[in-house]
Amino acid sequence: MQQQHLKDILYHAVKNSPFYSVYKNCCISAFPVVNKAILNENYESICVPIEKIPEQTGDKIHVQKTSGSRGIPFAIPQDNRKRQRRIAELKYFNELIGFKSHEMLGQCRIWTRWKSKSKWQSFKENIISININRMDDDTAALLIKTVKNTRLQLLGHMQAGMMLW
C-alpha cells in the first residue's frame, strides 16, 4: 500500500509540476534529493496549481514557514490534508512530552519584525511570544513572572535543557 501511495505521489508530481515532469517514466532513484535551497530556487516550477491538488477544498492553501534559524528561511504550501495531519502529529507528540493542546504555550525565541506573530495569530494559536533576544536579569524575571501568572508551558529554544532558574 505504501509503495502504491508513493507511486501515486510521484506520478502526480510528474504530471502536474514542471520541475518533476522531466522524470516521467523514471524510477524513484532518478528523482533528485532536494533541500530547502533547491526548493526555494525552483519554487515556481515545483508548485502544483491549486486546482490540481487532490481533495483540496477551497482556494486557500496554508503556508507553513520556518524561521531560517539554520540559515535558510523557508515557506511551503500545505493542502488541507497535510495541514490536518501536521496538527494531529503536533498534538500527539506534544502530549507525549506532557503538553496538552489546550494549554497556553510560551514560545521562547528571538522575535523580529520579520519573524513575529500578530496578536490575532497569537490568540488563535494560544501562544505568548517571549523574546529572548537579550537574556538579562530583567528578561528572566519577566519570563518567570509570565510563567507563574499564566501557567503556560514552555517550548522552543528553552526545551533543549536551558534552565533560567
Side-chain angles (χ1 to χ4, degrees):
M1 183 153 154
Q2 284 181 327
Q3 288 292 337
Q4 185 57 49
H5 187 63
L6 179 57
K7 286 179 184 179
D8 292 345
I9 289 171
L10 296 177
Y11 174 76
H12 180 75
V14 165
K15 184 178 174 192
N16 297 294
S17 169
F19 180 85
Y20 290 106
S21 65
V22 297
Y23 300 98
K24 185 177 181 180
N25 300 321
C26 292
C27 63
I28 190 168
S29 62
F31 281 74
V33 174
V34 296
N35 58 27
K36 289 192 288 186
I38 293 169
L39 292 171
N40 282 337
E41 290 167 14
N42 299 283
Y43 185 83
E44 292 300 320
S45 66
I46 290 173
C47 280
V48 172
I50 194 168
E51 65 273 5
K52 295 191 177 187
I53 300 172
E55 301 180 42
Q56 175 63 25
T57 56
D59 59 353
K60 185 171 169 99
I61 295 283
H62 175 78
V63 177
Q64 186 65 49
K65 296 178 181 179
T66 67
S67 65
S69 61
R70 303 257 187 241
I72 301 175
F74 188 61
I76 189 154
Q78 295 178 339
D79 65 17
N80 294 340
R81 285 186 62 218
K82 173 59 182 171
R83 177 77 174 141
Q84 290 168 355
R85 286 193 317 271
R86 184 174 179 278
I87 291 169
E89 289 169 356
L90 287 170
K91 287 182 177 191
Y92 175 80
F93 288 110
N94 281 339
E95 287 193 18
L96 286 180
I97 62 168
F99 178 74
K100 306 282 190 267
S101 63
H102 63 277
E103 293 176 321
M104 186 166 283
L105 171 68
Q107 195 168 28
C108 300
R109 61 176 296 168
I110 296 174
W111 293 97
T112 66
R113 64 181 181 153
W114 297 281
K115 298 173 187 170
S116 64
K117 293 184 181 291
S118 68
K119 286 184 180 186
W120 169 246
Q121 187 178 8
S122 293
F123 172 76
K124 186 173 78 170
E125 295 175 6
N126 205 20
I127 288 175
I128 292 179
S129 303
I130 300 166
N131 193 345
I132 57 170
N133 187 30
R134 274 196 324 245
M135 210 49 201
D136 55 16
D137 290 343
D138 291 339
T139 306
L142 179 61
L143 177 57
I144 292 167
K145 181 181 176 184
T146 303
V147 170
K148 286 180 178 178
N149 291 345
T150 61
R151 296 184 180 176
L152 61 85
Q153 301 292 315
L154 293 174
L155 293 179
H157 295 270
M158 297 185 59
Q159 219 178 6
M162 184 174 114
M163 294 295 287
L164 294 176
W165 55 90

